[in-house]
Every structure is written in structure tokens, then in C-alpha cells.
Amino acid sequence: MWWGMLIIFGLATLLNPLVSLISLMGLSFFALREYFSMIKSSKADRRLYLWAYVSIPLQFYWIYIEWYGMFIVFIPVYVFLLIPIPRLINKGTVGFLRSVSSVQWGLMLMVFGLSHLAYFQFATPQYGAGLVLYLVILTQLNDVVHNLISIYYSKGKVVPTANANLTWIGFICAFIVTTLVSYLIYPYLTPLNLTFGILSGMLISLSGFLGSLTVSVLKRDLLLGDDDKFEALKKSHLSRIDSLTYASPVLFHVIRYFFDFM
């Protein structure tokens, strides 16, 4: 559930940066595993999955040693270039693009996107815990408001075939509420100024909505014709962190660009 995940994040974040790092690494692993479970795969594809799992501790190791340069290019560049190799050697050409691109998509969302949460703490020891808590609170609040409003006002669905709980009126209400709450809590959890206290709420709401929308469409595409599994995965790790896969990197890079404490 939303608030259960918020409590877990809060405890892990406030206790120790290393605890938070390990918790987020585990979350990335489970989310990636659920993503792979949706894909109809061959034996050759599953070898790719093994290499993808190996990249998770490496990505978080760069965070632990605070090597930003490697952290930011490891999955988008090096893994992207190297991940096709196990699929190339003696595995044929049929399904090559589908296999490699689906693995890279999963790594970018479930590992690269979420790993920005961990880097917040190690890059900014003084403000990291507050920034992570701020991001998670607003992202989960945005999801809750959006879903509640969409249940009561179900007209104007964004992508009705993928997620009936995503409506335009839900997005607008969630955007307003998230921005307002951001204005109220940013002085207590972040070193941001007034302008960015408001702007960050807007960015979190918008990027969280795009993340939720993208993962919903992705799941529906991969599970087309398997409605039972689609319903079961609505309560999965993947459904709880879909918004964070977009919101985390967006907020991280905006703050890194405009503020000198990162």
C-alpha cells in the first residue's frame, strides 16, 4: 500500500544512508524481477536477465563510493552497449531487438530511475534524508489524490484501456494538492527556496503522472490477453514505484543543476 511504502522509506532514510541504499537496491531488484515476469521470454532472453541483475549492485556501488560520473552513464551508456553481447553470441537473430530493448527499458526505469533516490543521500549528507522523504511523500500523495478523485469522477480517462484510475480531472486535482503541500512542507525537509519549493511540487506531480501512465501502458502492452495477471500486478512493487521512476531523476537533476549543495 502507498502509506506502508512511505513508512518503510521514511525509516530507512532516517536511520542510516547505508540502510536506505540497501533498501532501494532491494526494491529495484524486486521491481525489475516483476517487470521481467511480464515478458514472454526464451532461454536466451533469461541469460540477459541475469546480466541485468548483476548491474544492480554495480549501479548502487557507484553511489556508495560517490562516483557521480560512472553513476550517471553506467546504465544509459555502458550497460546499453554491453547488454546485447550475451544475446549476440550463438543465439540467432530472431527476437534480438525485442529482447535487448525490453531489458534496457526495465533497467532504465526500475534501476537507473530509482537509484537517484539513493544518490540524494550520499551526494548531500546534510539534506539527503529530508529530500528523499520530501520526494516520496509528495509522489505518494500525488498518486493517492489522483486515484481517489478518479474513482469518484471517472470521466475523461487518459488511457482507458490501460488504467481506469488515470483521469484528467484526477491529474489536475493531484497537481494542485501536491503543489500546495510542497509549498507547506519544503521549508522543513529541504534547503530549497520559495520558488523551487513550489516548482518542485509541480515537477513531482507532472513527472509522477507520466511515470504512472508509462508503466500502466507498458504493463497492458506486455500482458495483452492475460487479464488475470494484469489485475494481480496492480498490487505489485512495480505499481507502487511507477511514479518514482520518473519523479526521482527529474527532481534530482533539477536540484543538481540549480543548487550548489549537490
PDB file of all heavy atoms in Angstrom, residues 45 48 79-80 83-85 87-88 95-106:
ATOM      1  N   ASP A  45      16.798 -15.154 -23.684  1.00  0.00           N
ATOM      2  CA  ASP A  45      16.396 -13.912 -23.022  1.00  0.00           C
ATOM      3  C   ASP A  45      16.729 -13.949 -21.536  1.00  0.00           C
ATOM      4  O   ASP A  45      17.168 -12.945 -20.963  1.00  0.00           O
ATOM      5  CB  ASP A  45      14.896 -13.672 -23.191  1.00  0.00           C
ATOM      6  CG  ASP A  45      14.510 -13.449 -24.647  1.00  0.00           C
ATOM      7  OD1 ASP A  45      15.375 -12.996 -25.414  1.00  0.00           O
ATOM      8  OD2 ASP A  45      13.353 -13.744 -24.990  1.00  0.00           O
ATOM      9  N   LEU A  48      20.035 -12.813 -20.542  1.00  0.00           N
ATOM     10  CA  LEU A  48      20.121 -11.354 -20.474  1.00  0.00           C
ATOM     11  C   LEU A  48      19.657 -10.848 -19.113  1.00  0.00           C
ATOM     12  O   LEU A  48      20.225  -9.902 -18.569  1.00  0.00           O
ATOM     13  CB  LEU A  48      19.257 -10.718 -21.567  1.00  0.00           C
ATOM     14  CG  LEU A  48      19.818 -10.639 -22.978  1.00  0.00           C
ATOM     15  CD1 LEU A  48      18.805  -9.956 -23.883  1.00  0.00           C
ATOM     16  CD2 LEU A  48      21.125  -9.898 -23.006  1.00  0.00           C
ATOM     17  N   VAL A  79      26.040  -0.224 -19.965  1.00  0.00           N
ATOM     18  CA  VAL A  79      25.157  -1.390 -19.987  1.00  0.00           C
ATOM     19  C   VAL A  79      24.427  -1.468 -21.326  1.00  0.00           C
ATOM     20  O   VAL A  79      24.254  -2.555 -21.889  1.00  0.00           O
ATOM     21  CB  VAL A  79      24.155  -1.337 -18.815  1.00  0.00           C
ATOM     22  CG1 VAL A  79      23.131  -2.461 -18.933  1.00  0.00           C
ATOM     23  CG2 VAL A  79      24.897  -1.457 -17.490  1.00  0.00           C
ATOM     24  N   PHE A  80      24.010  -0.319 -21.836  1.00  0.00           N
ATOM     25  CA  PHE A  80      23.346  -0.287 -23.147  1.00  0.00           C
ATOM     26  C   PHE A  80      24.228  -0.898 -24.233  1.00  0.00           C
ATOM     27  O   PHE A  80      23.756  -1.641 -25.098  1.00  0.00           O
ATOM     28  CB  PHE A  80      22.999   1.165 -23.498  1.00  0.00           C
ATOM     29  CG  PHE A  80      22.462   1.332 -24.892  1.00  0.00           C
ATOM     30  CD1 PHE A  80      21.155   0.995 -25.196  1.00  0.00           C
ATOM     31  CD2 PHE A  80      23.276   1.831 -25.911  1.00  0.00           C
ATOM     32  CE1 PHE A  80      20.664   1.146 -26.482  1.00  0.00           C
ATOM     33  CE2 PHE A  80      22.791   1.988 -27.194  1.00  0.00           C
ATOM     34  CZ  PHE A  80      21.475   1.646 -27.489  1.00  0.00           C
ATOM     35  N   ILE A  83      25.026  -4.987 -22.934  1.00  0.00           N
ATOM     36  CA  ILE A  83      23.956  -5.956 -22.679  1.00  0.00           C
ATOM     37  C   ILE A  83      23.612  -6.815 -23.900  1.00  0.00           C
ATOM     38  O   ILE A  83      23.174  -7.965 -23.739  1.00  0.00           O
ATOM     39  CB  ILE A  83      22.690  -5.245 -22.127  1.00  0.00           C
ATOM     40  CG1 ILE A  83      21.804  -6.238 -21.339  1.00  0.00           C
ATOM     41  CG2 ILE A  83      21.864  -4.615 -23.259  1.00  0.00           C
ATOM     42  CD1 ILE A  83      22.366  -6.662 -20.044  1.00  0.00           C
ATOM     43  N   PRO A  84      23.795  -6.357 -25.142  1.00  0.00           N
ATOM     44  CA  PRO A  84      23.475  -7.236 -26.280  1.00  0.00           C
ATOM     45  C   PRO A  84      24.440  -8.408 -26.450  1.00  0.00           C
ATOM     46  O   PRO A  84      24.092  -9.387 -27.119  1.00  0.00           O
ATOM     47  CB  PRO A  84      23.572  -6.300 -27.495  1.00  0.00           C
ATOM     48  CG  PRO A  84      23.464  -4.926 -26.947  1.00  0.00           C
ATOM     49  CD  PRO A  84      24.084  -4.988 -25.591  1.00  0.00           C
ATOM     50  N   ILE A  85      25.638  -8.337 -25.866  1.00  0.00           N
ATOM     51  CA  ILE A  85      26.667  -9.342 -26.153  1.00  0.00           C
ATOM     52  C   ILE A  85      26.212 -10.768 -25.832  1.00  0.00           C
ATOM     53  O   ILE A  85      26.370 -11.669 -26.663  1.00  0.00           O
ATOM     54  CB  ILE A  85      27.978  -8.987 -25.410  1.00  0.00           C
ATOM     55  CG1 ILE A  85      28.568  -7.699 -26.009  1.00  0.00           C
ATOM     56  CG2 ILE A  85      28.981 -10.137 -25.509  1.00  0.00           C
ATOM     57  CD1 ILE A  85      29.824  -7.204 -25.298  1.00  0.00           C
ATOM     58  N   ARG A  87      23.359 -11.962 -25.907  1.00  0.00           N
ATOM     59  CA  ARG A  87      22.293 -12.327 -26.864  1.00  0.00           C
ATOM     60  C   ARG A  87      22.840 -12.502 -28.273  1.00  0.00           C
ATOM     61  O   ARG A  87      22.255 -13.214 -29.094  1.00  0.00           O
ATOM     62  CB  ARG A  87      21.223 -11.237 -26.850  1.00  0.00           C
ATOM     63  CG  ARG A  87      19.962 -11.543 -27.656  1.00  0.00           C
ATOM     64  CD  ARG A  87      19.217 -12.747 -27.097  1.00  0.00           C
ATOM     65  NE  ARG A  87      17.942 -12.940 -27.756  1.00  0.00           N
ATOM     66  CZ  ARG A  87      17.776 -13.445 -28.976  1.00  0.00           C
ATOM     67  NH1 ARG A  87      18.828 -13.793 -29.689  1.00  0.00           N
ATOM     68  NH2 ARG A  87      16.567 -13.592 -29.484  1.00  0.00           N
ATOM     69  N   LEU A  88      23.969 -11.877 -28.561  1.00  0.00           N
ATOM     70  CA  LEU A  88      24.563 -11.955 -29.896  1.00  0.00           C
ATOM     71  C   LEU A  88      25.243 -13.291 -30.161  1.00  0.00           C
ATOM     72  O   LEU A  88      25.145 -13.833 -31.263  1.00  0.00           O
ATOM     73  CB  LEU A  88      25.597 -10.832 -30.067  1.00  0.00           C
ATOM     74  CG  LEU A  88      25.079  -9.410 -30.264  1.00  0.00           C
ATOM     75  CD1 LEU A  88      26.230  -8.419 -30.144  1.00  0.00           C
ATOM     76  CD2 LEU A  88      24.392  -9.271 -31.609  1.00  0.00           C
ATOM     77  N   GLY A  95      14.123 -12.110 -32.743  1.00  0.00           N
ATOM     78  CA  GLY A  95      13.741 -11.509 -31.468  1.00  0.00           C
ATOM     79  C   GLY A  95      14.830 -10.716 -30.786  1.00  0.00           C
ATOM     80  O   GLY A  95      14.673 -10.306 -29.628  1.00  0.00           O
ATOM     81  N   PHE A  96      15.931 -10.453 -31.494  1.00  0.00           N
ATOM     82  CA  PHE A  96      17.066  -9.760 -30.874  1.00  0.00           C
ATOM     83  C   PHE A  96      16.680  -8.370 -30.376  1.00  0.00           C
ATOM     84  O   PHE A  96      16.931  -8.019 -29.217  1.00  0.00           O
ATOM     85  CB  PHE A  96      18.222  -9.651 -31.874  1.00  0.00           C
ATOM     86  CG  PHE A  96      19.338  -8.760 -31.401  1.00  0.00           C
ATOM     87  CD1 PHE A  96      20.266  -9.222 -30.486  1.00  0.00           C
ATOM     88  CD2 PHE A  96      19.468  -7.448 -31.863  1.00  0.00           C
ATOM     89  CE1 PHE A  96      21.304  -8.410 -30.039  1.00  0.00           C
ATOM     90  CE2 PHE A  96      20.483  -6.631 -31.423  1.00  0.00           C
ATOM     91  CZ  PHE A  96      21.405  -7.111 -30.507  1.00  0.00           C
ATOM     92  N   LEU A  97      16.064  -7.569 -31.214  1.00  0.00           N
ATOM     93  CA  LEU A  97      15.719  -6.194 -30.830  1.00  0.00           C
ATOM     94  C   LEU A  97      14.733  -6.169 -29.679  1.00  0.00           C
ATOM     95  O   LEU A  97      14.875  -5.386 -28.729  1.00  0.00           O
ATOM     96  CB  LEU A  97      15.151  -5.439 -32.029  1.00  0.00           C
ATOM     97  CG  LEU A  97      14.757  -3.976 -31.773  1.00  0.00           C
ATOM     98  CD1 LEU A  97      15.971  -3.160 -31.331  1.00  0.00           C
ATOM     99  CD2 LEU A  97      14.140  -3.356 -33.024  1.00  0.00           C
ATOM    100  N   ARG A  98      13.730  -7.047 -29.732  1.00  0.00           N
ATOM    101  CA  ARG A  98      12.742  -7.088 -28.651  1.00  0.00           C
ATOM    102  C   ARG A  98      13.408  -7.452 -27.328  1.00  0.00           C
ATOM    103  O   ARG A  98      13.145  -6.830 -26.294  1.00  0.00           O
ATOM    104  CB  ARG A  98      11.664  -8.130 -28.986  1.00  0.00           C
ATOM    105  CG  ARG A  98      10.614  -8.300 -27.890  1.00  0.00           C
ATOM    106  CD  ARG A  98       9.754  -9.543 -28.125  1.00  0.00           C
ATOM    107  NE  ARG A  98      10.564 -10.742 -28.168  1.00  0.00           N
ATOM    108  CZ  ARG A  98      11.025 -11.377 -27.093  1.00  0.00           C
ATOM    109  NH1 ARG A  98      10.777 -10.904 -25.890  1.00  0.00           N
ATOM    110  NH2 ARG A  98      11.730 -12.472 -27.223  1.00  0.00           N
ATOM    111  N   SER A  99      14.294  -8.436 -27.348  1.00  0.00           N
ATOM    112  CA  SER A  99      14.939  -8.888 -26.113  1.00  0.00           C
ATOM    113  C   SER A  99      15.793  -7.792 -25.488  1.00  0.00           C
ATOM    114  O   SER A  99      15.668  -7.477 -24.302  1.00  0.00           O
ATOM    115  CB  SER A  99      15.823 -10.114 -26.396  1.00  0.00           C
ATOM    116  OG  SER A  99      15.058 -11.185 -26.865  1.00  0.00           O
ATOM    117  N   VAL A 100      16.670  -7.220 -26.295  1.00  0.00           N
ATOM    118  CA  VAL A 100      17.625  -6.249 -25.777  1.00  0.00           C
ATOM    119  C   VAL A 100      16.923  -4.964 -25.342  1.00  0.00           C
ATOM    120  O   VAL A 100      17.213  -4.414 -24.276  1.00  0.00           O
ATOM    121  CB  VAL A 100      18.711  -5.953 -26.828  1.00  0.00           C
ATOM    122  CG1 VAL A 100      19.629  -4.835 -26.364  1.00  0.00           C
ATOM    123  CG2 VAL A 100      19.530  -7.209 -27.109  1.00  0.00           C
ATOM    124  N   SER A 101      16.001  -4.485 -26.157  1.00  0.00           N
ATOM    125  CA  SER A 101      15.333  -3.221 -25.829  1.00  0.00           C
ATOM    126  C   SER A 101      14.447  -3.355 -24.593  1.00  0.00           C
ATOM    127  O   SER A 101      14.367  -2.437 -23.773  1.00  0.00           O
ATOM    128  CB  SER A 101      14.507  -2.728 -27.018  1.00  0.00           C
ATOM    129  OG  SER A 101      13.505  -3.665 -27.379  1.00  0.00           O
ATOM    130  N   SER A 102      13.792  -4.501 -24.408  1.00  0.00           N
ATOM    131  CA  SER A 102      12.936  -4.676 -23.235  1.00  0.00           C
ATOM    132  C   SER A 102      13.767  -4.727 -21.953  1.00  0.00           C
ATOM    133  O   SER A 102      13.352  -4.193 -20.922  1.00  0.00           O
ATOM    134  CB  SER A 102      12.094  -5.945 -23.371  1.00  0.00           C
ATOM    135  OG  SER A 102      12.909  -7.100 -23.460  1.00  0.00           O
ATOM    136  N   VAL A 103      14.950  -5.347 -22.015  1.00  0.00           N
ATOM    137  CA  VAL A 103      15.828  -5.380 -20.847  1.00  0.00           C
ATOM    138  C   VAL A 103      16.329  -3.976 -20.515  1.00  0.00           C
ATOM    139  O   VAL A 103      16.338  -3.560 -19.350  1.00  0.00           O
ATOM    140  CB  VAL A 103      17.020  -6.332 -21.081  1.00  0.00           C
ATOM    141  CG1 VAL A 103      18.078  -6.164 -19.985  1.00  0.00           C
ATOM    142  CG2 VAL A 103      16.540  -7.774 -21.115  1.00  0.00           C
ATOM    143  N   GLN A 104      16.728  -3.222 -21.532  1.00  0.00           N
ATOM    144  CA  GLN A 104      17.234  -1.875 -21.292  1.00  0.00           C
ATOM    145  C   GLN A 104      16.137  -0.957 -20.750  1.00  0.00           C
ATOM    146  O   GLN A 104      16.386  -0.128 -19.869  1.00  0.00           O
ATOM    147  CB  GLN A 104      17.823  -1.287 -22.576  1.00  0.00           C
ATOM    148  CG  GLN A 104      18.498   0.065 -22.421  1.00  0.00           C
ATOM    149  CD  GLN A 104      19.734   0.016 -21.536  1.00  0.00           C
ATOM    150  OE1 GLN A 104      20.261  -1.056 -21.267  1.00  0.00           O
ATOM    151  NE2 GLN A 104      20.222   1.174 -21.098  1.00  0.00           N
ATOM    152  N   TRP A 105      14.930  -1.113 -21.236  1.00  0.00           N
ATOM    153  CA  TRP A 105      13.797  -0.345 -20.722  1.00  0.00           C
ATOM    154  C   TRP A 105      13.609  -0.615 -19.228  1.00  0.00           C
ATOM    155  O   TRP A 105      13.413   0.305 -18.424  1.00  0.00           O
ATOM    156  CB  TRP A 105      12.512  -0.737 -21.474  1.00  0.00           C
ATOM    157  CG  TRP A 105      12.008   0.320 -22.377  1.00  0.00           C
ATOM    158  CD1 TRP A 105      12.245   0.450 -23.720  1.00  0.00           C
ATOM    159  CD2 TRP A 105      11.167   1.418 -22.016  1.00  0.00           C
ATOM    160  NE1 TRP A 105      11.600   1.549 -24.209  1.00  0.00           N
ATOM    161  CE2 TRP A 105      10.929   2.169 -23.193  1.00  0.00           C
ATOM    162  CE3 TRP A 105      10.592   1.844 -20.831  1.00  0.00           C
ATOM    163  CZ2 TRP A 105      10.147   3.311 -23.211  1.00  0.00           C
ATOM    164  CZ3 TRP A 105       9.804   2.997 -20.839  1.00  0.00           C
ATOM    165  CH2 TRP A 105       9.594   3.711 -22.025  1.00  0.00           C
ATOM    166  N   GLY A 106      13.657  -1.887 -18.864  1.00  0.00           N
ATOM    167  CA  GLY A 106      13.490  -2.246 -17.460  1.00  0.00           C
ATOM    168  C   GLY A 106      14.582  -1.669 -16.584  1.00  0.00           C
ATOM    169  O   GLY A 106      14.316  -1.162 -15.497  1.00  0.00           O
TER     170      GLY A 106
END
